[in-house]
Amino acid sequence: MLLLTLGFAFAPIATAQTPPTDGFFNVLSFGALPDGQTKCSDAIAKAIDAASAKGGGTVYFPAGTYLTGPIHLRSHITLYVDAGATVKFSTNFDDYLPMVLSRWEGIVVTNFSPLIYAYKAQDIAIVGRGTLDGQGQAWWDFYRKISRGTNAVPRSKWQEEFGRLNADTIAETKYRLLDIGFLRPAFIQPNECSNVLVEGVTIRNSPFWNVTPVFCDDVNVRGVTIISPSTSPNTDGINPDSCRNIRISDCYISVGDDCITIKSGRDANGRRAGRPLENCTIVNCTLLRGHGLSIGSEMSGGVKNVTVANCVFDGTDRGIRIKSTRGRGGVIEDIRISNLVMRNIREDALLLTTFYTKTTPEPVSERTPIFRNIHFSGITGDAKTAGEVTGLGEMPIENITFDDIQLETKTGFTLKDAKGIEFHNVIVNTENGPVITATTTEGLEIDGVKTTKPHTGTPVIDLSKVKRVFVRGCTAAPETETFLRVSENSADEVTLEGNNLKAAKTTVEKVKANSSAN
């Protein structure tokens, strides 16, 4: 038998479990102990310093449990949390001092350091198949204790320090939570950064918001799992705030507040910064529990050019919620939301409201929120309420379309103080009430709207105080008692054309102006 020796040399292949040494800075080499009890803050900081001194690199966490205070990233640094690794963050609030420049619910403040923080850095990343654990219970408990409004709890040193550093902001905003002065830190907050990546990691038990880039450009969050208890306060999943060019994809989120929220600053503080959130895509995400996907309410810098597609909502409070209030200002415009499945939604499937808080009418100014050019299509599922569009008397919500919608709900769509609203190929089966109820609405087009479950004594469509309404292509289901009910003072403004309403006992019922449902 002839044996041949071939002169091939096989280079070792780098894997996630055995990373290459070139450019990698293993925290174990800098003194970190993966026992979950020894604080590794200094070792991690030394690894980051060493990587930064080389012009950048990857700070590597092999399998094990690491206890640390906040981690501050620098330019060209990647945190690589490998499979089997858990980074647990300290519950000693003193570790998050000194306070740093931050943004908290849309207000620029000096506050506790976020758990992972970067300021004016470039090319930073947090990646891997490991877990980041914020151990938020201690923060939640202290927040609940001091926010009850009782004088029995003495003011803490952290509140005193926050008050000292933010006296002018507290006086200007008159916001109760700032006055309380214990603002829990965000988990991951890059501030004024560019080229930011968060990928693959599991994030648990954040003290406050989870992934919240602020004033950043080129942000990519993909394949991230975010989990907090449903009872945890304000543990929003992903909240880009006054950022540009954001991509959120393939994430699984189950939290105690909004799963994903798009923001751009609060009131005068946000308007002064004047930086909108723009050019954002959100695709292929699964949202469980929490409040669903929101735009606002902190949107004083404006929100524009947003696409949401191919997402699943299951058991969230709401599906899509676009929210603001008088005093906030800002323009939300050019939004497209499509191809969503919503199941077990406890409240509204689709909600657009400028009455997020109680307010009194005021003249139009920079304080007036504006919603326009927002389009929904390809949505199916079940919810308590199909949807709501509620504008302001002085500033109606304008140019909203609903296309290819199929929902099973308790109640249908309601419109108030709206302009240029269109429904195309919309099927809503309600347990009670009309499919569409509209008042003080102008320029309403209802095309191909129907229900397969009409109700005795209830019209399919109920209109009052409307102008320029066009109803076409609609079909009345068998046993429809009344298809359209309209107040007498609006009847001349309603046109029906090309409908199949033969099955309706009454096609159009005219009622006195005050009799139609509002």
Side-chain angles (χ1 to χ4, degrees):
M1 178 184 238
L2 180 63
L3 297 177
L4 295 177
T5 302
L6 300 179
F8 295 118
F10 293 92
I13 298 175
T15 68
Q17 287 69 38
T18 56
T21 56
D22 187 30
F24 269 64
F25 299 81
N26 190 322
V27 295
L28 298 181
S29 301
F30 294 86
L33 296 178
D35 59 10
Q37 298 180 356
T38 305
K39 199 170 289 184
C40 303
S41 305
D42 290 343
I44 295 168
K46 288 177 182 177
I48 291 172
D49 289 345
S52 182
K54 294 287 187 179
T58 297
V59 174
Y60 175 64
F61 293 80
T65 300
Y66 304 84
L67 177 65
T68 183
I71 297 173
H72 288 196
L73 292 179
R74 300 185 189 180
S75 293
H76 318 302
I77 299 293
T78 293
L79 289 187
Y80 185 165
V81 186
D82 209 344
T86 297
V87 180
K88 297 175 69 172
F89 287 83
S90 169
T91 58
N92 183 345
F93 304 159
D94 286 340
D95 288 341
Y96 300 87
L97 302 176
M99 294 187 173
V100 300
L101 187 65
S102 181
R103 203 184 209 189
W104 201 92
E105 290 197 356
I107 300 172
V108 174
V109 292
T110 302
N111 191 35
F112 286 118
S113 171
L115 280 56
I116 300 178
Y117 178 71
Y119 182 64
K120 292 188 175 179
Q122 301 176 2
D123 310 328
I124 58 175
I126 303 162
V127 303
R129 299 298 296 170
T131 297
L132 305 171
D133 188 345
Q135 300 199 100
Q137 189 69 55
W139 296 93
W140 308 332
D141 290 346
F142 192 80
Y143 162 73
R144 288 181 173 123
K145 182 170 68 173
I146 66 172
S147 63
R148 290 171 186 156
T150 174
N151 294 325
V153 180
R155 195 166 175 86
S156 69
K157 62 182 179 181
W158 308 294
Q159 292 167 282
E160 294 293 343
E161 176 69 355
F162 180 86
R164 183 184 71 82
L165 294 172
N166 298 281
D168 291 344
T169 301
I170 293 169
E172 177 192 47
T173 60
K174 299 178 182 178
Y175 183 29
R176 177 177 175 269
L177 293 180
L178 265 66
D179 191 48
I180 290 173
F182 185 81
L183 305 187
R184 291 159 289 144
F187 205 132
I188 299 173
Q189 187 177 86
N191 190 337
E192 296 276 9
C193 296
S194 62
N195 191 15
V196 177
L197 171 65
V198 183
E199 181 180 35
V201 292
T202 294
I203 304 170
R204 292 183 176 273
N205 303 317
S206 177
F208 184 59
W209 295 354
N210 280 269
V211 181
T212 173
V214 172
F215 302 135
C216 291
D217 188 8
D218 187 8
V219 177
N220 198 341
V221 183
R222 62 177 180 243
V224 171
T225 297
I226 301 176
I227 300 174
S228 289
S230 60
T231 56
S232 57
N234 316 112
T235 51
D236 297 40
I238 303 172
N239 289 17
D241 192 350
S242 291
C243 295
R244 298 182 70 252
N245 306 321
I246 311 112
R247 298 164 314 280
I248 300 170
S249 63
D250 305 292
C251 294
Y252 174 99
I253 304 172
S254 180
V255 292
D257 208 310
D258 293 308
C259 298
I260 298 174
T261 311
I262 294 170
K263 298 181 180 290
S264 65
R266 183 185 180 98
D267 299 343
N269 191 283
R271 292 194 297 272
R272 188 161 52 246
R275 296 173 68 170
L277 182 137
E278 55 187 329
N279 306 342
C280 177
T281 60
I282 302 170
V283 298
N284 303 337
C285 291
T286 300
L287 312 181
L288 283 78
R289 296 204 311 261
H291 296 175
L293 189 153
S294 297
I295 300 176
S297 66
E298 296 88 19
M299 42 75 72
S300 300
V303 173
K304 59 184 177 181
N305 306 337
V306 176
T307 300
V308 180
N310 304 340
C311 293
V312 173
F313 299 69
D314 192 349
T316 56
D317 281 356
R318 291 176 173 84
I320 302 293
R321 179 168 56 162
I322 303 177
K323 53 185 179 176
S324 190
T325 189
R326 289 185 179 100
R328 202 125 296 173
V331 180
I332 294 178
E333 62 183 344
D334 301 330
I335 314 294
R336 285 201 170 268
I337 298 171
S338 62
N339 298 343
L340 309 182
V341 174
M342 298 183 181
R343 295 298 181 197
N344 308 309
I345 308 302
R346 294 187 289 273
E347 298 294 338
D348 308 82
L350 307 170
L351 172 64
L352 296 84
T353 181
T354 46
F355 276 87
Y356 184 58
T357 60
K358 276 190 174 182
T359 56
T360 56
E362 60 181 61
V364 173
S365 70
E366 64 176 5
R367 291 168 46 86
T368 307
I370 299 172
F371 293 3
R372 63 191 180 204
N373 305 336
I374 302 171
H375 308 286
F376 301 90
S377 64
I379 298 172
T380 186
D382 60 274
K384 180 179 178 181
T385 300
E388 174 187 332
V389 179
T390 303
L392 302 172
E394 68 271 21
M395 183 60 67
I397 291 176
E398 186 172 5
N399 190 19
I400 312 297
T401 63
F402 301 92
D403 189 2
D404 185 21
I405 313 289
Q406 296 89 32
L407 294 171
E408 300 285 330
T409 65
K410 289 187 176 180
T411 57
F413 285 94
T414 60
L415 314 177
K416 184 177 182 182
D417 291 322
K419 184 177 181 181
I421 310 299
E422 299 182 15
F423 292 86
H424 300 279
N425 302 315
V426 172
I427 302 173
V428 179
N429 293 321
T430 66
E431 292 184 14
N432 56 76
V435 171
I436 299 172
T437 301
T439 185
T440 53
T441 296
E442 180 177 351
L444 173 60
E445 183 172 343
I446 299 173
D447 170 24
V449 171
K450 63 181 178 180
T451 180
T452 63
K453 298 179 180 179
H455 305 298
T456 302
T458 301
V460 176
I461 300 169
D462 195 359
L463 308 176
S464 66
K465 300 179 184 177
V466 296
K467 295 181 180 179
R468 298 189 296 106
V469 178
F470 185 32
V471 182
R472 68 180 178 186
C474 296
T475 301
E479 302 181 5
T480 298
E481 188 173 281
T482 301
F483 180 77
L484 173 65
R485 183 165 67 191
V486 59
S487 60
E488 288 180 334
N489 62 351
S490 299
D492 292 342
E493 297 275 5
V494 179
T495 301
L496 281 76
E497 183 178 290
N499 298 288
N500 179 8
L501 307 178
K502 295 178 181 179
K505 182 178 179 181
T506 301
T507 301
V508 179
E509 176 188 3
K510 297 180 183 179
V511 297
K512 291 183 179 180
N514 293 331
S515 299
S516 184
N518 291 322

